Each structure stands twice: as structure tokens, then as C-alpha cells.
Amino acid sequence: MTRELTMSGQQDALYIVLAVLAMGSFVGLQVFSGVVMSRDKEFWNNTDFNSTETEINPPGWAFSIWFLIYVWQFAWLTYVLTTLCRQVDGRPIYQRLCVVCKPLLAVFIVNQFLSLVFFVITYSEPDNTLHSMLSVFSLVFSLWVTVILCLVLYHTKMAAVPSSIAQTLRSDIICLIVLVQNGLAIYASWLTLADMLVLNSFVVYYIGVPMTTASIMTLTILTLVVLLYFTLEMTCWRDYTRYTFTTYPTVMWGLTATTIERWDPESPVAIFELVLLVVVSILFFAKIGVAFGTRTTNGKHKSYLTIYS
């Protein structure tokens, strides 16, 4: 009987190690950064690149969204740890519903290491020199790439879930969508904005492009990215991102904060931001209407969509 139980509920040691390391690296990073910042109040004056101020830099309070992002990451990592302890049909949940796979956890651990390097650089080089700015941009871009890779791995695995397993583990599918899918999406969305802010500062202070011109260029790029994302989401990505809702509100948060802080009816940048905020809001409500008002039309991934269509 003992041998039967061991074989039916056999654990994957590597998966367990990666899951624990993912949570450990995340918690360790938060504790380390929290302790360092609490001991050095001057650090807070450098977190929003004050020495490279531009017309589209959000105010300091806008960065409080990091708290929500971190809570969301902690929530899905906690969910992953619960799948180590729960079984269905004699097998652990993470083996029956292998959506948060080993490569995803490994990439997330790399992301946390890059986050630590990012923190150390921004803490040790607050003067925003050219070297520091290039390092920050490359690190933020690398963070974005790792989160996007996590999302690609997640959606690839989710699309392959058999409908029979999806029906049996419906509550876990919902947890995956709410916690993992939307948690990684809000993280990726804010990193997208961060990339553009750093790029905008670099163009202004190290290439010499006029601040207003650079800000309009950056907002134009953001507009194109949002429109491209919406187009893909309504077409070939529709089955995958149907219930990803955190992307647009994240962009709206950043635009709202900047508009409130820097509103000037005579500024073309402020007007551009306001118009873009309205456009993103419209796209968000359109997204909600499509998500809840229609059924999937692609037909290729009904295995895991039918349970919440």
C-alpha cells in the first residue's frame, strides 16, 4: 500500500525546488530592498529620476502601483506552492495541470535576479550618468523580456490543457487566470511604460532632442503599441488574452497620474496624454464587452475556454 501511494503521488523534486526558489528569491528581494530603503531616506529622492525630469514623468505617488504588482506576484507564487500539497486522482495538481511549468519558474527566478541588479544600480548610481542610464534601460528591457517570456510559456501551456482536466480543475483554472495571467500582465505593462520613460530621458539628456519633441515621440510610440496590442488581442491573441484585464488599467494609471500632475491646456504633450487616456479607456471598455459579450471564435483552444465562456 505504501509503494502504491508513493508511485501514484510521486513528486517532481526539480519542480519543487524551482517553486520554492521562485518564492524565496521574490521574498528575499523585497526584504533586502525594504531594509536598504528604510535605512536610507535619500534613496526615495532618486527613484523617479528627478535629475532627468521630462514632460511625461509620472509623479512619485504613481509608482505606488509597484505595491499592487508585488502583492499580485506573491499571490500567484503562493498559489503555485499550494499545488505542491494538493492532489487529484492520486497526482499533485501541478502535474495534472502543468501550466506554471518549470521553464516559467526558472525564467521568473532570473527576473528576480535582474530586479536585484536593477535595484543595486539605481541605488549606487543615483546621479543618472550616461552609463547608469544605459544600464537602467537594458535592465528594465531585460525584465520586460523575461516577463513576456513567462507569459508566452504560460499561454502555451494553458492552450494545451485538455477540456476534461479543465472541467475537473475549474477552480484552479480560474486561479491561474486571475493570479498568474493577470499578475504577469500588470507586471509586463508597467515595465513597458518604464522602458519608454527611461528611453525618453535618454533621448532628451544624452541625444539632445528637445523635451517636448521627445515626449511626443514617446507618446506616439506608446499609442502605436497600445493599438497594435488591441488589434492582436481582438484577432490572433483573442483566445489567449480573453480574460487578461490588467493591461489597459495599468496604462490608464500611468497616464492619469501624469495628466493630473502636469496638466497644462496649452501644452501639446498634456493634450496628447489626455487624448491617449481617453482612447485607452475606450479600448478597455471594448475589451470588457468582447470578453463577456461574445464567445471565442477561433475555435482552436476551446479546451480551456469553454469552462468560463
Side-chain angles (χ1 to χ4, degrees):
M1 181 180 296
T2 304
R3 180 177 176 79
E4 251 180 35
L5 181 61
T6 303
M7 293 299 293
S8 63
Q10 189 172 8
Q11 297 281 0
D12 185 335
L14 179 56
Y15 188 94
I16 294 174
V17 169
L18 288 173
V20 172
L21 280 177
M23 175 62 89
S25 61
F26 173 78
V27 173
L29 175 63
Q30 305 312 309
V31 172
F32 173 77
S33 58
V35 169
V36 172
M37 289 188 292
S38 65
R39 292 182 177 181
D40 188 357
K41 296 181 180 179
E42 289 299 317
F43 175 80
W44 294 98
N45 296 325
N46 303 309
T47 54
D48 58 351
F49 300 101
N50 287 326
S51 61
T52 53
E53 190 75 6
T54 70
E55 294 183 54
I56 60 173
N57 276 37
W61 56 265
F63 292 90
S64 61
I65 193 175
W66 277 116
F67 176 77
L68 177 61
I69 293 172
Y70 290 146
V71 168
W72 221 313
Q73 307 316 299
F74 181 79
W76 76 257
L77 287 169
T78 301
Y79 164 76
V80 170
L81 291 179
T82 68
T83 65
L84 304 178
C85 312
R86 295 182 294 118
Q87 294 190 358
V88 60
D89 297 331
R91 294 181 62 189
I93 296 292
Y94 70 89
Q95 293 182 3
R96 296 286 293 171
L97 190 62
C98 188
V99 175
V100 182
C101 56
K102 286 179 280 190
L104 189 156
L105 292 172
V107 173
F108 186 81
I109 293 170
V110 173
N111 174 274
Q112 294 304 288
F113 173 75
L114 292 173
S115 295
L116 176 61
V117 176
F118 172 81
F119 175 81
V120 171
I121 288 179
T122 54
Y123 181 80
S124 60
E125 300 184 35
D127 52 347
N128 294 316
T129 60
L130 175 60
H131 177 267
S132 176
M133 185 64 68
L134 289 175
S135 299
V136 167
F137 177 76
S138 60
L139 280 169
V140 173
F141 182 74
S142 298
L143 287 169
W144 179 83
V145 169
T146 55
V147 178
I148 293 299
L149 183 54
C150 285
L151 282 168
V152 171
L153 291 168
Y154 165 87
H155 285 295
T156 301
K157 288 293 187 177
M158 180 66 98
V161 174
S163 57
S164 57
I165 294 179
Q167 291 285 354
T168 302
L169 300 175
R170 186 174 184 274
S171 59
D172 284 277
I173 290 288
I174 294 174
C175 285
L176 287 169
I177 293 170
V178 174
L179 301 178
V180 184
Q181 183 171 321
N182 281 277
L184 290 173
I186 188 175
Y187 191 7
S189 301
W190 190 250
L191 286 174
T192 301
L193 296 181
D195 265 323
M196 294 188 178
L197 290 174
V198 177
L199 180 61
N200 183 65
S201 296
F202 176 79
V203 168
V204 171
Y205 288 95
Y206 298 106
I207 297 183
V209 177
M211 188 175 293
T212 298
T213 303
S215 297
I216 291 176
M217 288 172 55
T218 303
L219 290 173
T220 300
I221 294 173
L222 178 59
T223 302
L224 293 175
V225 169
V226 169
L227 292 176
L228 176 61
Y229 176 81
F230 181 78
T231 302
L232 291 172
E233 201 175 40
M234 294 297 106
T235 54
C236 55
W237 289 358
R238 182 170 175 178
D239 287 355
Y240 296 98
T241 62
R242 177 172 182 152
Y243 284 92
T244 300
F245 293 111
T246 51
T247 303
Y248 300 102
T250 305
V251 178
M252 290 161 60
W253 170 260
L255 291 172
T256 300
T258 309
T259 301
I260 292 174
E261 185 74 12
R262 304 180 185 279
W263 174 248
D264 180 359
E266 297 183 359
S267 168
V269 174
I271 294 174
F272 196 154
E273 285 181 325
L274 180 60
V275 172
L276 181 55
L277 175 59
V278 172
V279 170
V280 175
S281 301
I282 293 173
L283 296 181
F284 178 53
F285 287 114
K287 154 77 176 183
I288 294 176
V290 170
F292 292 104
T294 63
R295 293 180 179 272
T296 180
T297 57
N298 192 309
K300 293 182 180 179
H301 311 298
K302 289 185 178 180
S303 59
Y304 72 96
L305 288 170
T306 50
I307 68 165
Y308 53 87
S309 294

